[in-house]
Amino acid sequence: MIDDSGTTLTLGIDLGGTKLGLALIDRTGGVARSERRAIDAEGGPERLVAAIAAAALELVEAAPAAVGSVGVGFAGQVDARAGVVRSAPNLAGWADFPLVEALGEAVGRPVAILNDVSATTLAEHAAGAGRGVDDLVVVTLGTGVGGGVIAGGRLLEGAGGYGGELGHMTLVADGRRCRCRNRGCLEAYAGGWAIAERAREAVDEAPEAGRALLAAAGGSAEITAAAVALAARAGDPLARRLVEETGRLLGAGLVSLIHVFNPRRLVLGGGVIEGLPDLVAAAAAEVRRRAIAVFLEDLEILPAALGADAGMVGAGLLAHRKFGSAAVEAELGAER
Amino acid sequence: MIDDSGTTLTLGIDLGGTKLGLALIDRTGGVARSERRAIDAEGGPERLVAAIAAAALELVEAAPAAVGSVGVGFAGQVDARAGVVRSAPNLAGWADFPLVEALGEAVGRPVAILNDVSATTLAEHAAGAGRGVDDLVVVTLGTGVGGGVIAGGRLLEGAGGYGGELGHMTLVADGRRCRCRNRGCLEAYAGGWAIAERAREAVDEAPEAGRALLAAAGGSAEITAAAVALAARAGDPLARRLVEETGRLLGAGLVSLIHVFNPRRLVLGGGVIEGLPDLVAAAAAEVRRRAIAVFLEDLEILPAALGADAGMVGAGLLAHRKFGSAAVEAELGAER
């Protein structure tokens, strides 16, 4: 489905549980214009799609060039081939919703979808910290832990398109309960919710040691990963110990990915990394202590470069790739 | 480098620390003829290459059809592109040995190499338990734990060609020391050496409970994974507990691979599985308890089909693929 109509822009949409990002994306992943809106997910998918389409068409009309197609990065498990949302932990009523069809009708353009973290991975690969390498692992640490993999120049998809759930590798076989069904997942230690939970437990156990953390958060039950980050930067010993332990465990988890994928570059992003940028160096040090030597030879571990824009950029690149941008297709190595 | 000379066979070689397997392999992975020899690794790589070449040429001369090229599955880390052995834990003097060049001169045919477990993976994919699927994970549990991955129809290689070290995923972050530099690797629980080590520790701790195991092995220091398997089959409670625990831990490790790769099929092979075939069902049950539901929808967990021949078959298929068998190339999905 190559579109030779001279399209130079696509619309990249990042759709999460509470926020909507839209951006006009050129063939190299550059952002021509973007905007963010809060969304009201209460009305169900049809109403939300109508709202997205209205915002999209506004942006398209004001665009400096033709906008030929739309890509959506969706925070949930999607069947990219069928164009259907399979499950959406943060959006009620979206399970098995045919988003590609519904949004395509509403905006009058072809639509492609993928998981939001896969979108981030495509973006970091094409235009961010993963640029120029064929073997890339991206791990995003936000409330949860997600990720994506470029292996031999191609996005890892898996049989059903769900591949790349890097946060749900088992890191401690009999460890902490995860929000998924597993025990001891990487996410159950290094996800934002898990850092907060570990901090609450530590403070409840030793309130004296966690005084600064308690004061900053306003109470044990109010402790968040952001509060832990603040307290650690302020020198609170308990928060610092938690952050050190998180770096060590994150490194132990990254070793799994390094041994499995032998990446040239490993990129860490998401809100937890933005709040605790030292985690990158701490995890890298742990990786160097644990990994088999040959896997370290040409490995770089870097922070993500595109920040919160990555989802929109990747969704826009997906649309270029799927509906008409041979240049981007070659860059992404989609057909290698 | 397509060879149109009508070659219908290749020579597949499986080279381990103590054994050499050679087989004539057709384009579909069928074995026309095979043989195994003990090897003397003491004399260094040059002498061993001369011995391999002599055995190879003998087999080639007696072959029912032309043998155009040679593939070698090597038990160690190889740089497949450069044709060089990088490290060989079980063969002294082989680090950085240019095997492709040396063996190619000796046999007068083009030679390709890959890691022995990658060879097993290619073989199970083309002609074994992974036949017909594009997303396949193969885990081999022998003395160590290795593996290989077919993702989107292609063998996962990684930046340096070392990808697929599935045995060295971290399974217990602060767990047992592995033979690699990491702690708590899957191999440190489910590899043959680790099963034996865990059994020795358990018997030393509770000799009464391990009576049958002690009697079968002849002493704590003599306990091997094979002895554990025998004792478990004979009903020894300590051995059975060890096997159950191994199945549970193996399952927890497979969950990591399932969440990362979303495979259609997961194949378990190697000596440990052959000795303890019940591990397949035990690990699969643990996977069903732990994995995210969508990943289980179309997943099959099966024992390997090709047994000890797999390394030779995969090496022979690699040669077909690299030096002249368009049919196999398509079947392997190498260019997808």
Side-chain angles (χ1 to χ4, degrees):
Chain A
M1 292 177 71
I2 299 297
D3 167 13
D4 293 322
S5 64
T7 301
T8 56
L9 292 173
T10 60
L11 181 67
I13 296 178
D14 188 11
L15 180 54
T18 57
K19 56 167 189 34
L20 169 68
L22 305 102
L24 299 171
I25 304 297
D26 71 23
R27 285 159 198 261
T28 65
V31 178
R33 192 172 152 181
S34 72
E35 61 172 71
R36 281 165 214 277
R37 300 191 176 197
I39 57 172
D40 173 17
E42 295 300 308
E46 283 84 5
R47 272 180 65 174
L48 187 48
V49 162
I52 294 170
L57 290 173
E58 240 176 70
L59 203 61
V60 163
E61 262 174 45
V67 177
S69 58
V70 177
V72 183
F74 186 86
Q77 272 135 0
V78 303
D79 183 334
R81 278 157 248 179
V84 171
V85 170
R86 289 300 311 273
S87 70
N90 307 307
L91 282 169
W94 279 70
D96 295 318
F97 181 71
L99 179 59
V100 160
E101 191 188 332
L103 187 61
E105 275 174 24
V107 299
R109 286 170 171 77
V111 175
I113 57 172
L114 80 174
N115 171 273
D116 60 340
V117 194
S118 296
T120 294
T121 303
L122 284 184
E124 290 290 344
H125 183 228
R131 200 162 177 162
V133 305
D134 277 348
D135 294 280
L136 169 71
V137 174
V138 175
V139 181
T140 57
L141 296 97
T143 302
V145 176
V149 178
I150 305 282
R154 294 194 312 182
L155 184 70
L156 177 81
E157 296 183 333
Y162 313 125
E165 278 289 359
L166 309 186
H168 300 284
M169 295 186 301
T170 310
L171 178 62
V172 181
D174 291 306
R176 302 179 66 86
R177 277 237 161 268
C178 189
R179 288 185 173 179
C180 80
R181 302 167 63 221
N182 196 10
R183 266 190 179 282
C185 291
L186 174 58
E187 175 172 310
Y189 294 88
W193 67 263
I195 293 173
E197 192 178 282
R198 288 166 51 220
R200 288 193 290 269
E201 289 173 13
V203 165
D204 289 346
E205 216 170 83
E208 198 51 32
R211 248 179 319 167
L213 187 51
L214 269 172
S220 159
E222 271 67 57
I223 291 173
T224 61
V228 174
L230 272 176
R233 283 206 294 273
D236 178 56
L238 186 144
R240 291 182 64 149
R241 183 171 60 73
L242 278 164
V243 171
E244 273 163 34
E245 195 183 57
T246 305
R248 204 173 53 73
L249 288 163
L250 175 59
L254 299 185
V255 165
S256 298
L257 293 169
I258 290 163
H259 287 160
V260 167
F261 289 107
N262 180 206
R264 176 78 182 70
R265 215 170 282 163
L266 199 153
V267 169
L268 297 172
V272 166
I273 296 294
E274 283 155 25
L276 290 165
D278 293 351
L279 276 182
V280 177
E286 186 69 16
V287 163
R288 281 193 296 275
R289 275 191 287 275
R290 286 176 177 257
I292 299 171
V294 292
F295 289 81
L296 295 171
E297 277 174 8
D298 294 310
L299 174 68
E300 294 173 290
I301 300 182
L302 299 173
L306 300 177
D309 277 355
M312 295 183 281
V313 171
L317 285 170
L318 173 73
H320 275 296
R321 168 173 146 182
K322 188 154 183 183
F323 302 115
S325 171
V328 169
E329 199 156 1
E331 186 175 333
L332 291 171
E335 302 301 314
R336 259 180 264 171
Chain B
M1 291 175 67
I2 300 297
D3 168 11
D4 294 320
S5 62
T7 300
T8 56
L9 293 173
T10 60
L11 181 68
I13 297 178
D14 188 11
L15 179 54
T18 55
K19 56 167 191 31
L20 170 69
L22 306 102
L24 299 171
I25 305 297
D26 70 25
R27 285 157 196 257
T28 65
V31 177
R33 192 170 153 180
S34 72
E35 62 173 71
R36 285 165 211 277
R37 298 190 177 197
I39 57 173
D40 174 17
E42 296 299 309
E46 283 83 5
R47 271 181 64 177
L48 187 49
V49 163
I52 294 169
L57 290 173
E58 237 175 73
L59 204 60
V60 164
E61 263 175 46
V67 178
S69 57
V70 177
V72 183
F74 186 85
Q77 272 134 1
V78 303
D79 183 334
R81 279 157 248 181
V84 170
V85 170
R86 289 298 311 276
S87 69
N90 307 310
L91 281 169
W94 278 70
D96 295 317
F97 181 71
L99 178 59
V100 161
E101 191 188 331
L103 186 61
E105 276 175 26
V107 299
R109 285 170 173 80
V111 175
I113 57 172
L114 81 173
N115 169 273
D116 59 340
V117 194
S118 296
T120 294
T121 303
L122 284 184
E124 289 290 344
H125 183 229
R131 198 159 180 169
V133 304
D134 277 348
D135 294 280
L136 170 71
V137 174
V138 176
V139 181
T140 56
L141 296 97
T143 302
V145 176
V149 178
I150 305 282
R154 292 193 313 182
L155 184 71
L156 177 81
E157 295 184 331
Y162 313 127
E165 276 290 0
L166 309 185
H168 299 284
M169 295 186 301
T170 309
L171 178 61
V172 182
D174 292 306
R176 301 179 66 87
R177 278 236 160 270
C178 189
R179 288 185 175 179
C180 79
R181 301 166 64 224
N182 197 11
R183 266 192 178 281
C185 291
L186 173 58
E187 175 172 311
Y189 293 87
W193 67 262
I195 292 173
E197 194 179 280
R198 288 165 52 218
R200 288 193 290 266
E201 288 173 14
V203 165
D204 288 347
E205 216 171 82
E208 197 53 31
R211 248 179 320 168
L213 188 50
L214 269 171
S220 159
E222 271 67 58
I223 292 174
T224 61
V228 175
L230 271 175
R233 284 205 293 273
D236 178 55
L238 186 144
R240 290 181 66 147
R241 183 171 60 72
L242 277 165
V243 170
E244 272 162 36
E245 195 183 56
T246 303
R248 205 172 53 74
L249 288 163
L250 175 59
L254 299 185
V255 165
S256 297
L257 294 168
I258 289 163
H259 287 161
V260 167
F261 288 107
N262 179 206
R264 176 78 183 73
R265 216 169 282 163
L266 199 154
V267 169
L268 297 172
V272 167
I273 297 293
E274 282 155 26
L276 289 164
D278 293 349
L279 275 182
V280 177
E286 186 68 15
V287 163
R288 282 193 296 273
R289 274 190 288 275
R290 288 178 176 254
I292 299 171
V294 292
F295 289 82
L296 296 171
E297 279 174 6
D298 295 311
L299 174 68
E300 295 174 289
I301 299 181
L302 300 173
L306 300 177
D309 278 354
M312 295 183 282
V313 171
L317 285 170
L318 173 74
H320 275 295
R321 168 172 146 181
K322 190 156 182 182
F323 302 114
S325 171
V328 169
E329 199 157 358
E331 185 175 338
L332 291 171
E335 302 302 313
R336 258 178 267 176

